[in-house]
Amino acid sequence: MPPPPTERTRVRQRGDRGTHDLAAIHRILDEGLVCHVGFVAEGQPLVIPMNYARAGDRLYLHGSATSRVVRTLAGGAPACATVTLLDGLVLARSAMHHSVNYRSVVVLGRATAVEEPAEKVSALRAIVEHVVPGRWAEVRPPSARELEATGVLALPITEASAKMRSGPPVDDAADLALGAWAGVLPLATVPGAPVPDPALPPGRRVPPYVSAYSRSR
Ligand SMILES: Cc1cc2nc3c(=O)[nH]c(=O)nc-3n(C[C@H](O)[C@H](O)[C@H](O)COP(=O)(O)OP(=O)(O)OC[C@H]3O[C@@H](n4cnc5c(N)ncnc54)[C@H](O)[C@@H]3O)c2cc1C
């Protein structure tokens, strides 16, 4: 069942583009790479970009145990995590009808600190695998000391909304005869050619999970 559209997460402008369908929310979270985490610390609103992973109905975040975002969220501060996928620029015939094609999610809630070592490792694994699927198995896992120095947070995805736009520009009928080009310029996160670390032994092959990397889910 989708989480109930609480008054706080009811999409107001262009509500037809909003949804509280959990599967739709999960798809967007699973494709994104960066979430912007908002909170208030000492009266100052902050929005900090972070990597993340979704595991079931929770978002895992991590950072230095001493960082402000980790300390503030672990202390139970209200938080907001936003993930945006920019799919295209929508070029209309009038300035006012320009738009963007996008899929985005806003999650509201309070995070809790993940303290139990096995869950901490599992959350860090989820974050690594979310960013680069297949990576965890090839690399050294965190040491006890690294785990100690790292704060891991779990934010429940229980009060969340998604919003999306797709398709061509929506011009006024009277503007359709204007000479301006109109349409969509698609945008996507696509990898460039891998750049090997100079310290790698010569001839080391690029693993398939790197050479075939894609964000499309
Ligand atoms: C794509 C991306 C992914 C990231 N993923 C993570 C992650 O998963 N975990 C993590 O801990 N950190 C991540 N970071 C770094 C993160 O955004 C913060 O820089 C870090 O958490 C700051 O911690 P702090 O306590 O030192 O700074 P804070 O006390 O939070 O910030 C102090 C001041 O530093 C400035 N500042 C802090 N961060 C940034 C920033 N990113 N850009 C510009 N100014 C900034 C602001 O002026 C802020 O007021 C990521 C950054 C990017 C861009």
Side-chain angles (χ1 to χ4, degrees), residues 65-135:
T66 59
S67 71
R68 181 156 55 175
V69 57
V70 167
R71 284 185 289 111
T72 307
L73 267 59
C80 172
T82 298
V83 172
T84 306
L85 306 174
L86 187 53
D87 292 327
L89 304 180
V90 181
L91 277 57
R93 292 165 182 81
S94 66
M96 290 306 294
H97 283 308
H98 282 74
S99 190
V100 284
N101 283 340
Y102 65 91
R103 291 163 288 153
S104 54
V105 164
V106 172
V107 180
L108 303 181
R110 292 174 197 266
T112 52
V114 176
E115 308 283 9
E116 203 269 314
E119 190 189 352
K120 233 172 150 175
V121 173
S122 156
L124 293 170
R125 180 183 192 281
I127 293 171
V128 169
E129 286 291 306
H130 174 77
V131 176
V132 188
R135 186 66 179 158

Side-chain angles (χ1 to χ4, degrees), residues 3-26:
T6 62
E7 192 49 30
R8 297 201 307 172
T9 54
R10 186 169 60 82
V11 178
R12 293 173 172 78
Q13 305 294 322
R14 293 302 306 255
D16 55 311
R17 293 179 179 166
T19 178
H20 299 86
D21 176 61
L22 212 42
I25 289 169
H26 288 178

Side-chain angles (χ1 to χ4, degrees), residues 34 39 46 48-52 62-64 66-71:
V34 178
F39 56 97
L46 286 162
I48 296 291
M50 302 182 82
N51 291 118
Y52 68 94
H62 86 299
S64 163
T66 59
S67 71
R68 181 156 55 175
V69 57
V70 167
R71 284 185 289 111

